[in-house]
Amino acid sequence: MKFSLKDRLLSFRHAFAGLGILVATQHNFRIHLTAAILVCALGLALRLTIHEWLWIAMCIVFVMVTEAANSAIESLGNAITREPNEHIRVAKDIAAAMVLIASIAAAGIGMVILVPKVWNLI
């Protein structure tokens, strides 16, 4: 198949559609998005350094990507069957654990960066 820049650009529609689905239908994604916005606002107020912003950005992306993967796995499992299925349950639980691990790591890194700066203001 011949490369087509037009086709590559049109393929972004699917990615943006997926992002729209996440925002519109996934409560936890909206919670993470709200937290990201609040952290960014706090980061602006605290005048984070470029290196601190890189860590914060990586944490935000890491949590959002794992939440998106978790949502995709849950949707796929639900499409296969709504009946109890041990393999699907395990896959969903592991996907949820993936988000939990990312969120704990992000919270820890965020606290290391933000808490001392807030403490210095007090």
Side-chain angles (χ1 to χ4, degrees):
M1 185 175 245
K2 188 176 176 184
F3 176 81
S4 164
L5 181 59
K6 179 182 173 187
D7 289 343
R8 293 308 99 222
L9 292 174
L10 290 175
S11 71
F12 277 91
R13 284 186 300 174
H14 298 293
F16 284 111
L19 188 57
I21 291 166
L22 281 169
V23 172
T25 67
Q26 300 301 310
H27 181 73
N28 287 341
F29 189 85
R30 289 193 304 270
I31 290 171
H32 292 302
L33 185 59
T34 301
I37 291 167
L38 293 172
V39 166
C40 287
L42 182 59
L44 288 171
L46 295 173
R47 298 177 185 225
L48 297 183
T49 68
I50 188 69
H51 294 102
E52 291 166 334
W53 274 117
L54 288 172
W55 280 103
I56 295 294
M58 287 305 300
C59 287
I60 290 169
V61 168
F62 189 42
V63 171
M64 297 298 203
V65 167
T66 57
E67 186 62 54
N70 179 50
S71 296
I73 290 166
E74 286 181 357
S75 181
L76 212 60
N78 292 343
I80 293 168
T81 182
R82 291 288 187 157
E83 298 297 318
N85 180 298
E86 184 64 13
H87 296 290
I88 293 173
R89 184 196 63 77
V90 168
K92 287 181 174 185
D93 287 352
I94 291 171
M98 178 174 54
V99 179
L100 179 63
I101 293 165
S103 298
I104 290 170
I109 291 168
M111 288 177 24
V112 166
I113 293 170
L114 299 172
V115 168
K117 292 182 174 293
V118 170
W119 186 257
N120 287 336
L121 292 176
I122 299 175

